[in-house]
Amino acid sequence: LQQKKYDGTPERKKSNTIKNWKRRGLICEDYDSLYCHYQNAEHCDECGCRFGTFGDGTGTFRCMDHDHSSGAFRNFLCSKCNINRG
């Protein structure tokens, strides 16, 4: 019961998001600060569209773009721009 309560908290969402970034190869000195910036990002750094939500059919949900060679964060992109960038 305690685990189910924790699973729905903002802390759990943050923890899962950062764990996912690390699993995908993102390297960052301050994940907490980057997560805060991620939460507050409202527009794609490439095309300027306002971010939608995953599953809304617009292809504009927020993505964490990073260099796949170095793992360094580049910017926040909508899913369309992230796919186009490769």
Side-chain angles (χ1 to χ4, degrees):
L1 181 63
Q2 197 70 351
Q3 183 65 38
K4 285 187 177 187
K5 285 183 182 179
Y6 176 69
D7 285 347
T9 65
E11 293 82 12
R12 178 62 171 212
K13 182 174 182 171
K14 177 181 176 182
S15 173
N16 283 342
T17 299
I18 291 172
K19 184 171 34 173
N20 188 33
W21 290 346
K22 289 177 180 180
R23 191 179 69 236
R24 292 179 177 212
L26 178 73
I27 298 171
C28 175
E29 289 185 23
D30 186 355
Y31 289 99
D32 290 326
S33 176
L34 187 58
Y35 183 79
C36 183
H37 186 54
Y38 173 78
Q39 288 297 98
N40 293 315
E42 295 182 354
H43 296 89
C44 176
D45 289 338
E46 185 78 19
C47 73
C49 75
R50 185 169 184 82
F51 291 126
T53 56
F54 184 78
D56 67 5
T58 65
T60 60
F61 61 89
R62 182 180 42 213
C63 295
M64 175 68 69
D65 182 41
H66 68 285
D67 183 303
H68 290 249
S69 298
S70 69
F73 166 75
R74 288 192 286 220
N75 47 14
F76 302 111
L77 300 177
C78 70
S79 52
K80 288 180 183 179
C81 289
N82 192 43
I83 289 169
N84 289 338
R85 182 172 280 182

